[in-house]
Amino acid sequence: MINFRIIKTDEDLENALKIRREVFVEEHNVPESIELDEFDTLDSNCLHFLALYNNKPIGTLRANLTIKDTVKIQRFCFLPEYRKSGFGKLLLDFAEKELIKQGYKYFFLEAKFAVHPFYEKCGYKKVSDIFYEVNVPHVKMEKLIK
């Protein structure tokens, strides 16, 4: 059974950071000094989300709220064995609904170019040319809730 929650405890935050280390640092070779930052706390101006399958933490995303009236989706990842399961779309939908309840209507993210079709299926539109982040092609994408 899949479920999602806003992270409110140190234990959940550590589980999310563990997933991110496995995916971004170990699998994708992103330096930990880039992957982990000042927004990875419970009292930062971000909301962190956790996906659990049969109570096992399997995915996470961070919603950075430092720009007025704007949500920047960041650090969105799932453990390899849970990708292409539909869980990513469900977590993104859950996060968006929670943030819409708080009054947010503009969402954006910087997607790896290879996975930007996933975000298009979730209602995001590509709004930039390709740019490189950690030597990986990315595009900026946005979604406006009307």
Side-chain angles (χ1 to χ4, degrees):
M1 172 155 173
I2 187 81
N3 58 17
F4 310 100
R5 63 179 173 232
I6 297 172
I7 293 175
K8 296 182 180 178
T9 67
D10 289 331
E11 180 182 2
D12 276 351
L13 183 60
E14 188 50 46
N15 283 325
L17 296 178
K18 184 178 176 187
I19 293 166
R20 287 174 39 195
R21 277 186 199 98
E22 184 174 328
V23 172
F24 294 122
V25 177
E26 295 170 21
E27 183 182 343
H28 296 293
N29 298 312
V30 174
E32 191 164 321
S33 60
I34 294 172
E35 172 52 30
L36 303 177
D37 61 26
E38 70 274 15
F39 298 113
D40 292 323
T41 66
L42 294 174
D43 58 356
S44 67
N45 199 11
C46 292
L47 280 182
H48 300 264
F49 295 84
L50 191 62
L52 300 106
Y53 185 72
N54 294 332
N55 292 317
K56 176 188 175 188
I58 62 163
T60 187
L61 76 73
R62 180 172 84 185
N64 186 317
L65 308 173
T66 58
I67 303 169
K68 185 177 176 4
D69 300 326
T70 298
V71 176
K72 182 177 184 181
I73 301 295
Q74 300 176 305
R75 310 309 200 264
F76 184 22
C77 63
F78 274 79
L79 296 174
E81 61 269 31
Y82 297 96
R83 295 178 194 154
K84 299 192 187 253
S85 62
F87 295 158
K89 182 173 182 346
L90 293 173
L91 175 57
L92 187 57
D93 286 347
F94 175 82
E96 288 174 351
K97 285 177 183 158
E98 291 296 318
L99 292 156
I100 290 165
K101 286 182 203 172
Q102 295 182 28
Y104 291 96
K105 292 185 187 312
Y106 177 70
F107 297 77
F108 82 97
L109 52 87
E110 294 168 349
K112 284 196 285 186
F113 185 75
V115 297
H116 85 277
F118 163 79
Y119 293 105
E120 287 177 333
K121 289 178 187 170
C122 295
Y124 286 78
K125 294 193 180 352
K126 189 168 58 125
V127 294
S128 78
D129 291 330
I130 293 174
F131 62 92
Y132 287 80
E133 200 169 281
V134 195
N135 296 320
V136 176
H138 283 71
V139 289
K140 181 178 178 182
M141 302 186 78
E142 65 182 22
K143 182 176 186 176
L144 182 61
I145 307 300
K146 296 180 182 175

